Amino acid sequence: EAGVQTLVDEAHYNDESAFIEKIAMIDGFHAKVLWAFTNKLEYWHAATLFLHADNVSGSYWKKRNKLPMLADGVGDNAIENLSKAISTYFYEQEARGKHCKIETYSRNNKEYFFAYPEDYAMANTEWVSDNLENRAVHPAFEIIFVYCKQEQSLDIYAPKNTKKVPELQKLFALHIL
């Protein structure tokens, strides 16, 4: 149910009543979500991110209040600069984070920044046809920044990186605010 509501919220944000009318005619939550996945993948992707952020326990978020007002429409350059700063920070401090991608979304007077820095590479042994080979996997770890315009606050979710939150707050303020 929460997933369908999040999809509807995304359609409202994009002012697309046709999506809302169509999903309302479909019976069952699973069928609605599957239809959204096959017909409006961008809504489905955004909804999964919001639903994930909404379901993180409050104790995992670190909040910072009394921040400057965020200007409307954060530019691509600012997002790219934050991405590079996060990458540089983790690369210099921990020898990981060589790459970082940030996806941004707006919802309910909040700006969401989903950052995915590259984590440590891992080697796995796997079968490729008839041969056993070592292959490297380069996973990402997640950091979520949520800026609330009304409160002028920043919440950061950085699991297993809580000691890095003060620096992440500085990087966000420097490049986004």
Side-chain angles (χ1 to χ4, degrees):
E1 183 176 352
V4 172
Q5 184 57 54
T6 307
L7 286 164
V8 170
D9 288 347
E10 189 63 13
H12 278 297
Y13 177 77
N14 289 287
D15 200 25
E16 189 177 336
S17 58
F19 176 89
I20 297 167
E21 291 170 14
K22 178 63 180 168
I23 205 166
M25 293 188 297
I26 300 169
D27 291 330
F29 296 125
H30 292 98
K32 290 175 189 286
V33 171
L34 183 59
W35 177 84
F37 178 77
T38 57
N39 292 281
K40 211 58 162 166
L41 188 58
E42 63 273 20
Y43 287 7
W44 185 88
H45 180 69
T48 60
L49 293 173
F50 285 133
L51 196 58
H52 167 58
D54 290 347
N55 285 300
V56 170
S57 172
S59 64
Y60 288 103
W61 292 93
K62 304 300 177 201
K63 188 175 199 99
R64 180 74 185 249
N65 293 310
K66 299 181 182 178
L67 293 173
M69 181 62 78
L70 179 66
D72 288 335
V74 175
D76 291 341
N77 285 342
I79 295 164
E80 181 63 26
N81 289 339
L82 177 61
S83 176
K84 287 178 182 176
I86 291 170
S87 180
T88 299
Y89 175 72
F90 279 101
Y91 194 75
E92 289 175 354
Q93 296 295 313
E94 300 178 356
R96 64 180 181 154
K98 185 176 180 183
H99 302 285
C100 181
K101 179 181 180 178
I102 297 178
E103 297 180 11
T104 61
Y105 297 92
S106 298
R107 188 175 107 193
N108 301 329
N109 290 320
K110 293 182 179 178
E111 300 298 322
Y112 289 75
F113 299 78
F114 295 88
Y116 300 98
E118 183 179 351
D119 209 343
Y120 298 112
M122 294 181 259
N124 292 317
T125 304
E126 61 182 64
W127 286 100
V128 178
S129 297
D130 293 336
N131 298 314
L132 196 58
E133 296 181 14
N134 284 329
R135 292 210 171 171
V137 177
H138 298 264
F141 61 99
E142 177 182 58
I143 301 167
I144 305 173
F145 301 86
V146 181
Y147 179 86
C148 179
K149 290 180 180 182
Q150 288 177 320
E151 298 175 4
Q152 290 180 253
S153 65
L154 176 66
D155 288 293
I156 297 180
Y157 169 67
K160 300 180 184 176
N161 291 291
T162 54
K163 292 180 181 179
K164 307 294 184 193
V165 168
E167 186 61 29
L168 293 169
Q169 291 170 339
K170 290 177 189 174
L171 294 175
F172 185 88
L174 178 65
H175 297 287
I176 302 299
L177 299 178

